Amino acid sequence: MNKTKHALFSYSFIFPSALLTLVLGIYPIAWAFRYMFYDYKGFGTARFTGLANFSRILKDTQFWDSVVNTFVYAGGKLLITIPLALLLAAILNRGLRGRQLLRGIFFMPTVISTAVMAVVFFTIFNSYNGILNQFLIRSGLSDSGVDWLGPKYAMLTVILVAAWGAVGNYMLLFLAGLQNIPEDVYEASSLDGAGKIQQFRYITLPMLGPVMQMVIMLAIITALKGYESIMVLTEGGPVGKTEVMFLYLYKLFFPVGGGSAAVQVQEFGYGSAVAFVSAVIVGMISLIYFYASRRMNQTD
Amino acid sequence: MMKRTLMTSLSLVLALGLAACGNGNSGGNATEGKGDGAKAGSGEKTKISYWTGDRHDADFVKEKVAEFNASNKDGIEVELVVKGDDFDTALDLSFQTSDAPDVIRVKENTVQTFYKKGFLAPIDEFLNDELKAKFPAMPDLNEFDGKRYSLPNYGTTMRLVYNKDLFAKAGIEHPPTTLQELVDTAKKLTAAGKADGAYGFALNFKSPGSAFARSARVVAEMSGYGGFGYDFKTARYDFSGFEPIINAFKQIKDDGSMLPGVESLDIDPLRAQFAEGKIGMYMSYSSEPGVYKNQFPAKIDWAAAPVPTIDGNVKGASGFLGGQWLALSSKTEHKEAAWKFMEFMYGDQVLTDYQEKGFGISMVPSISAAAKTPDVNGIEGFLPNKNDGVWPVYPSVAPEGMKSDDAFFKYMLNGGDLKAIIADLNKRYNAALDSVIANDGVKAEPDAGFDPAALGGKFAK
């Protein structure tokens, strides 16, 4: 096959997905990009307002609170998820009986829809008749239960739920990484007298570097963008305690609540600007991480 | 050979791609019989679609649609589409893909938006004097710029729902009529019920917007203040009427008379708790009796009473929400056929059935005068009285910063200076109001003679 034909052949395969990406991926972004500079409520005429949306963002304490909440949420989720996923992967990588079954069990939460998972957790954590509080009260551990979704513990609760949903996924990626480490390296090290902990510290961790870098990167981006389970569990409440960046953004496009007679005002223009700023924040964090973590790549 | 393979794969992927893209248009309403000319006799049906977001009456409407399909002699076939929470989004999409329904269910909080988006067609050409006399015209609710877009069927009244068993246990004879009584009653009910896990008062504060729209709003309206903070006399936002109301709610919370966990309480879990007897009082819409009949069968004896006012004096009217039901789509190609279906639905038989079976409280005076009280426990408390009235529509705005409901709930939880919070709300809401007046052509004119007390009495004496 000559070169032109080969190229044509390749492009014919790329074309459909490139077209879909263009229509469903690039076009909406360009659309939002344009409306960042407009006052647009979803209908009627869009009014050009220049940088007004951005100066509003600077003053928007609700947005900046949500940014702080996002960092707390993402940080908490990572602190629980990554070590736990690594630990589980390391255990399941050993010749444990029934490990196939255990892998399936740990991976299962990843398959369940986030909204369904959050509904289930709501029945566990809700304060007035949740399973957890009923257990605490009936076993005498607490008099009136704990307000799991109240102002004090809501963030902790949403972090725990998010970690539960994510850990299986990262465990699987770590497992794949672990299985790529040749067995003879371990054999050689044990002949030299290295113990399990030393092996983990000096062989497993460094050789898992590239996988680890990718997993953490993925985890950071996912955690910064996550909001679905929070929406079901608390809707960002109480009083914004669990409102993360992308939930705040979602509500600008699709306002929730408000009761029967309240007319909801969608803010497509301001929402687009907030979306852009949020994307820049996620991008910046990812870049910072990427440069800081290049060391992990050096496996030698 | 290579060329043939290349062409085959190219056509295959293109075909697949097109199939994927075209999918959105293939579903939905079939409009095979173009034009209303397709009549009986030719054997071809005129197909029209009716979209509704209402689920509580879905079976009833389905039955009526089937009745219409079977009985009409014009060869019209109505396809009923019941959408869930995504109704508005689905409708937006349908208008962008020219797959729009012919008849649309409009509600008090969507009709203005749909009108502004150009989704609706006026129905004046079909309204004769008889229909005009039968169905009240309501500016901004079924009438825009002098043209009628819908007609009312049922409306929603608002009441205080209370647990009669718990009231009896606490030795309280009457539901509260002032805010102070509300606070005291909640306290007494909690004292009587706490041992069994029952508390005096609750609201669905998971969404403060929804909670206040069914409570603080109607207390304000009964006391003579615009329920969404808008003052029709001055045409400005002024939330100061809410101060005593929010303080009373805060007091109930601080007293420990509020059900624990209201911060994460949604309306359905609240109803489930009420049905179990764990809540003494809450405020809500007239959809509640249906809920306790079908969804959460109540294990307690309960009733509904007018909501309390700030000081016991009724200076306004309890908002009767509604004024619209079905509307013609601006994109329908079968206007006549769609109207014939609407005419059937707005007939006395369907409307009377609707009220008597308890799906809603009729807003059509001739129907509510003649129809029997629905056979649904508790609904008698929700039937219109002399204090129910339709408020004019307030201009909706998107203020910068926190919405009033969130700000009020934050104060209930964290405390602070309520007067300062209200001053800040007034400032931000009026700035947003000025902006929509200047830029979006919204009209807000003061009406010095506006008398909230005169709103009541139109649906019952």
Side-chain angles (χ1 to χ4, degrees), chain A residues 12-225:
Chain A
S12 72
F13 277 94
I14 297 171
F15 178 72
S17 46
L19 184 76
L20 286 177
T21 312
L22 204 69
V23 175
L24 303 172
I26 310 292
Y27 174 72
I29 293 176
W31 183 92
F33 208 81
R34 177 183 163 217
Y35 283 111
M36 293 193 308
F37 306 105
Y38 284 80
D39 177 10
Y40 182 48
K41 302 203 164 60
F43 56 86
T45 43
R47 191 167 51 88
F48 183 77
T49 53
L51 295 175
N53 283 332
F54 291 94
S55 64
R56 179 173 161 191
I57 290 178
L58 288 179
K59 292 181 292 178
D60 188 348
T61 49
Q62 258 181 304
F63 173 69
W64 295 110
D65 285 348
S66 80
V67 174
V68 173
N69 285 341
T70 307
F71 289 152
V72 175
Y73 169 75
K77 186 178 167 187
L78 288 180
L79 276 179
I80 299 174
T81 317
I82 300 294
L84 194 61
L86 185 61
L87 185 73
L88 284 175
I91 294 171
L92 290 185
N93 196 36
R94 299 277 133 211
L96 206 67
R97 193 179 291 211
R99 61 182 170 163
Q100 298 295 350
L101 182 72
L102 286 173
R103 276 183 207 178
I105 291 172
F106 287 125
F107 187 67
M108 208 149 63
T110 316
V111 185
I112 302 170
S113 131
T114 314
V116 173
M117 175 189 101
V119 170
V120 172
F121 272 96
F122 186 78
T123 62
I124 295 174
F125 282 111
N126 85 51
S127 313
Y128 39 94
N129 61 353
I131 298 164
L132 186 56
N133 272 352
Q134 290 300 316
F135 170 76
L136 290 177
I137 293 168
R138 285 182 194 186
S139 60
L141 289 168
S142 162
D143 287 343
S144 54
V146 179
D147 207 355
W148 293 108
L149 298 168
K152 212 167 163 188
Y153 296 110
M155 184 54 104
L156 179 70
T157 307
V158 298
I159 289 174
L160 288 176
V161 173
W164 183 86
V167 93
N169 200 12
Y170 300 126
M171 176 202 76
L172 211 68
L173 293 169
F174 279 135
L175 254 177
L178 286 174
Q179 280 166 1
N180 274 335
I181 302 175
E183 202 49 45
D184 39 5
V185 185
Y186 288 107
E187 279 167 22
S189 69
S190 53
L191 287 179
D192 289 340
K196 291 270 180 229
I197 293 173
Q198 280 169 314
Q199 282 182 341
F200 185 76
R201 167 75 186 82
Y202 294 104
I203 300 172
T204 311
L205 272 185
M207 293 194 79
L208 209 53
V211 174
M212 180 90 83
Q213 190 194 21
M214 185 195 74
V215 169
I216 297 180
M217 179 82 137
L218 272 177
I220 289 178
I221 296 176
T222 322
L224 288 174
K225 292 200 305 190

Side-chain angles (χ1 to χ4, degrees), chain B residues 106-259:
Chain B
V106 285
K107 297 187 93 153
E108 64 277 355
N109 59 345
T110 55
V111 68
Q112 297 99 328
T113 314
F114 293 171
Y115 165 71
K116 284 183 200 159
K117 287 183 178 177
F119 291 177
L120 311 180
I123 53 170
D124 299 83
E125 60 190 282
F126 301 112
L127 295 180
N128 54 32
D129 290 340
E130 190 200 337
L131 287 176
K132 278 183 189 160
K134 184 176 165 188
F135 294 99
M138 301 180 195
D140 297 327
L141 286 168
N142 57 33
E143 192 184 61
F144 297 96
D145 296 322
K147 285 185 186 156
R148 206 88 75 88
Y149 287 82
S150 185
L151 304 169
N153 168 21
Y154 72 95
T156 309
T157 56
M158 312 197 57
R159 298 290 185 263
L160 176 89
V161 181
Y162 66 100
N163 177 340
K164 280 166 88 173
D165 294 344
L166 193 57
F167 267 63
K169 197 175 170 192
I172 306 167
E173 286 181 3
H174 304 290
T177 56
T178 67
L179 284 179
Q180 190 53 52
E181 277 177 34
L182 181 77
V183 173
D184 297 340
T185 307
K187 219 176 193 174
K188 286 180 200 158
L189 292 172
T190 309
K194 201 172 177 179
D196 306 318
Y199 290 80
F201 193 74
L203 274 173
N204 54 322
F205 281 116
K206 183 174 182 182
S207 166
S210 168
F212 287 129
R214 66 183 77 226
S215 61
R217 175 186 140 233
V218 67
V219 176
E221 287 179 341
M222 279 280 270
S223 306
Y225 299 100
F228 293 90
Y230 183 76
D231 184 348
F232 293 93
K233 277 186 196 162
T234 59
R236 302 300 287 168
Y237 273 93
D238 179 8
F239 287 92
S240 51
F242 281 82
E243 193 187 331
I245 304 168
I246 302 302
N247 270 330
F249 286 172
K250 184 175 187 325
Q251 191 61 49
I252 292 175
K253 182 111 176 67
D254 294 348
D255 287 347
S257 328
M258 187 87 81
L259 183 80

Side-chain angles (χ1 to χ4, degrees), chain B residues 4-65:
Chain B
R4 216 161 74 198
T5 320
L6 177 76
M7 288 312 288
T8 317
S9 15
L10 190 61
S11 357
L12 188 71
V13 285
L14 272 178
L16 282 174
L18 285 177
C21 291
N23 209 19
N25 283 334
S26 57
N29 67 328
T31 44
E32 292 100 50
K34 292 269 178 211
D36 293 346
K39 295 283 149 64
S42 70
E44 220 178 320
K45 292 263 186 188
T46 306
K47 290 189 178 175
I48 62 165
S49 60
Y50 167 45
W51 280 25
T52 173
D54 281 351
R55 278 165 295 174
H56 75 286
D57 62 3
D59 287 339
F60 173 82
V61 171
K62 204 171 165 185
E63 207 176 280
K64 295 295 167 192
V65 166

Side-chain angles (χ1 to χ4, degrees), chain B residues 264-302:
Chain B
S264 52
L265 196 63
D266 242 337
I267 187 63
D268 273 344
L270 184 152
R271 288 162 169 162
Q273 293 293 300
F274 183 79
E276 291 289 326
K278 305 290 185 196
I279 295 169
M281 304 176 284
Y282 73 102
M283 297 178 207
S284 198
Y285 306 109
S286 47
S287 43
E288 308 305 277
V291 170
Y292 294 123
K293 186 184 178 195
N294 304 316
Q295 216 178 337
F296 305 110
K299 294 179 183 162
I300 47 154
D301 190 15
W302 67 276

